[in-house]
Amino acid sequence: MPSDETILDTLFASVLHKQDSRDRAWDSNFEHRIQLCRSWGIDDKAALKVIDVGCGQADSTAVLAYLVGSNGHVTGLDPAPPTYGAPLTLGQAQDYLKQSALGPRVSFVENNLPDFLASGTAPHFDAAVFCHSLWYFDGRGMIDEHFAAVARAGVSRIYLAEYTFAGGSAEQRPHQLAARAQILLHKHKRPGTQKTKLGELNVREALEFDELLAVAAGSGWTPAKRGVVTPSPDLKDGYWETVIVAHEAFREGVLAQKLAEEDENRLLDYIPQVQKAKEELEAAGKPIATMDVAWAVLELRQEQ
């Protein structure tokens, strides 16, 4: 097995990025995904054919492509058009990866998962990967539809990873509060007002991990193994979510919903809580930490 440094060198050469040189924030993003893949048990021995659901700019697709080996293949799937994203678009990031040393191991599809799997054009997959994508889904029904589609397609395994509110440290509290604020805003948002001046919100339905497992169980999925990882302090996801809610544009986004007074006040109350938690860490010289991540390998229950 190559060293992590060798893997990171290959990923840095294969993935489109803004900076001229690597830094810890860049490395930690990929180290986190490598850790998840190892927890799931992904390696090059099985030559897996997997579909990366909600692949976005293909960070997890690249890590998967490295780890499944030269005989494996990863299909990155996202319903967003190639022009989506800033400052780098999905199309730019995906094309760059396809031209890299990992290119022969990847392909990309612009579609939603249920339609793609039912189209008759999808190949057989050994596993479907949901790596930090389910918090983007608009509701429980959409999540249920995706788990059911994977089961109908005869895919035997799901690799799942998402943030969890369980436990947590003082350093993780700003991320937890910011996530809950975005969940509540999504719950109350009016049609056509998802975007704020800061852009598209990252957190939507955001079911807790046990709720995700309960939804999956409705389509016959059961955990074969599960666990929790604590991200590196260098991973910036928690910081960016905190900045979104602490920004004045979030308050403006809440007020634009013209909610009932009680609902509006509940949302606005999160802003000073996030700001206070952020400022307390800054005063103590501590970084904002990203929430713990729960992971599981799901398998279809065998009919008796």
Side-chain angles (χ1 to χ4, degrees), residues 216-230:
S219 297
W221 297 100
T222 186
K225 60 177 182 175
R226 59 183 295 188
V228 175
V229 300
T230 298

Side-chain angles (χ1 to χ4, degrees), residues 18-95:
K18 292 185 298 180
Q19 63 266 48
D20 294 327
S21 59
R22 268 171 41 192
D23 58 23
R24 280 300 305 149
W26 189 96
D27 278 357
S28 66
N29 180 48
F30 290 95
E31 287 170 345
H32 174 60
R33 285 156 175 77
I34 292 168
Q35 183 181 23
L36 289 174
C37 287
R38 287 176 174 163
S39 298
W40 292 326
I42 293 177
D43 57 38
D44 61 1
K45 296 175 183 176
L48 293 174
K49 309 297 190 291
V50 303
I51 182 165
D52 183 18
V53 183
C55 66
Q57 294 185 332
D59 289 354
S60 57
T61 309
V63 174
L64 288 162
Y66 189 101
L67 294 177
V68 299
S70 58
N71 293 318
H73 191 84
V74 183
T75 299
L77 179 137
D78 203 293
T83 54
Y84 178 81
L88 306 173
T89 67
L90 268 63
Q92 289 173 321
Q94 294 172 4
D95 286 344

Side-chain angles (χ1 to χ4, degrees), residues 40 52-55 78 113 128-148 150 158-163 183 186 201-216 294 296 298:
W40 292 326
D52 183 18
V53 183
C55 66
D78 203 293
L113 182 67
V129 177
F130 294 87
C131 183
H132 291 301
S133 58
L134 290 175
W135 273 27
Y136 284 85
F137 282 37
D138 280 331
R140 181 184 295 260
M142 181 182 289
I143 296 170
D144 182 33
E145 184 181 9
H146 278 63
F147 286 144
V150 177
I158 288 176
Y159 297 122
L160 179 63
E162 200 49 88
Y163 299 114
I183 291 168
H186 173 74
L201 293 179
N202 291 332
V203 184
R204 298 178 188 177
E205 181 70 7
L207 299 182
E208 179 52 278
F209 200 72
D210 283 342
E211 293 180 275
L212 289 175
L213 295 181
V215 174
L298 308 184

Side-chain angles (χ1 to χ4, degrees), residues 152-274:
R152 288 194 301 269
V155 179
S156 60
R157 188 168 292 174
I158 288 176
Y159 297 122
L160 179 63
E162 200 49 88
Y163 299 114
T164 175
F165 288 101
S169 64
E171 289 81 5
Q172 292 170 323
R173 180 163 171 75
H175 188 195
Q176 292 176 330
L177 289 169
R180 292 196 183 281
Q182 291 188 56
I183 291 168
L184 194 58
L185 178 55
H186 173 74
K187 177 181 177 181
H188 291 300
K189 75 178 180 68
R190 292 184 291 111
T193 59
Q194 177 65 37
K195 290 185 178 181
T196 69
K197 289 183 179 179
L198 293 174
E200 201 90 17
L201 293 179
N202 291 332
V203 184
R204 298 178 188 177
E205 181 70 7
L207 299 182
E208 179 52 278
F209 200 72
D210 283 342
E211 293 180 275
L212 289 175
L213 295 181
V215 174
S219 297
W221 297 100
T222 186
K225 60 177 182 175
R226 59 183 295 188
V228 175
V229 300
T230 298
S232 161
D234 297 313
L235 189 66
K236 295 297 185 183
D237 295 32
Y239 171 80
W240 293 120
E241 299 301 344
T242 299
V243 167
I244 285 173
V245 176
H247 198 282
E248 178 61 26
F250 186 82
R251 179 186 299 274
E252 294 173 3
V254 172
L255 296 175
Q257 304 304 311
K258 301 189 182 303
L259 304 174
E261 183 177 1
E262 181 179 357
D263 293 332
E264 181 176 274
N265 288 337
R266 282 184 63 204
L267 260 167
L268 292 176
D269 282 347
Y270 272 106
I271 298 174
Q273 293 182 61
V274 170

